[in-house]
């Protein structure tokens, strides 16, 4: 009789452990799906905006030029919007809500924009502007931090 009670206790603990394992696995899967959804939502926002797409393809094919006519132009607003999409994802990576691996859905687009030589000129202007206006941070700081690691 004592053996049956001990066996029942062992089985109860074993079933509880299996239940905890499956609960943990389901939570891990749900968290992974939420992370992918965040990136996919940003991807949809990126690809559903015609102005962003037009500017992105100009950047991708090295047809975008940063110059004096850029400021206060529709391209400036569109580029800032595009960079804000990437910056929001980068901030989530810095906060631990996403990983760089999660960004794989948009890593090509991210790299194309980050590595474009005209972006360097734009960021140099923004850095000067931020310094001149004594702003405490950099424009699109998270985008730039994460971009340097991709």
């Amino acid at each position: 009789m004592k053996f049956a009670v001990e066996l029942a206790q062992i089985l109860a603990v074993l079933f509880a452990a299996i239940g905890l394992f499956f609960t943990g696995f389901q939570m891990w899967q749900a968290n992974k799906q939420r992370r992918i959804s965040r990136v996919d939502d940003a991807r949809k926002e990126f690809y559903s905006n015609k102005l962003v797409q037009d500017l992105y393809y100009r950047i991708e094919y090295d047809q975008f030029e940063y110059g004096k006519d850029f400021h206060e132009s529709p391209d400036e607003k569109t580029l800032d919007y595009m960079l804000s999409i990437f910056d929001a994802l980068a901030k989530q990576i810095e906060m631990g809500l996403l990983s760089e691996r999660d960004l794989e859905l948009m890593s090509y687009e991210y790299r194309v924009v980050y590595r474009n030589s005209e972006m360097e000129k734009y960021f140099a202007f923004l850095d000067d502007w931020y310094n001149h206006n004594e702003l405490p941070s950099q424009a699109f700081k998270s985008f730039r931090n994460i971009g340097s690691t991709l």
Side-chain angles (χ1 to χ4, degrees), residues 42-94:
R43 189 174 180 275
K44 287 175 185 171
E45 185 176 354
F46 181 86
Y47 279 106
S48 67
N49 186 309
K50 183 182 179 337
L51 295 174
V52 168
Q53 283 306 288
D54 291 345
L55 181 60
Y56 170 74
Y57 284 114
R58 286 180 27 225
I59 293 168
E60 183 180 31
Y61 296 113
D62 290 322
Q63 297 169 352
F64 169 74
E65 289 185 34
Y66 170 76
K68 294 177 185 174
D69 295 336
F70 177 75
H71 297 286
E72 298 182 19
S73 72
D75 277 352
E76 181 181 28
K77 293 173 187 169
T78 303
L79 180 58
D80 286 349
Y81 180 74
M82 181 194 308
L83 291 172
S84 71
I85 293 170
F86 289 126
D87 197 56
L89 291 170
K91 283 179 180 156
Q92 292 178 61
I93 290 170
E94 290 176 338

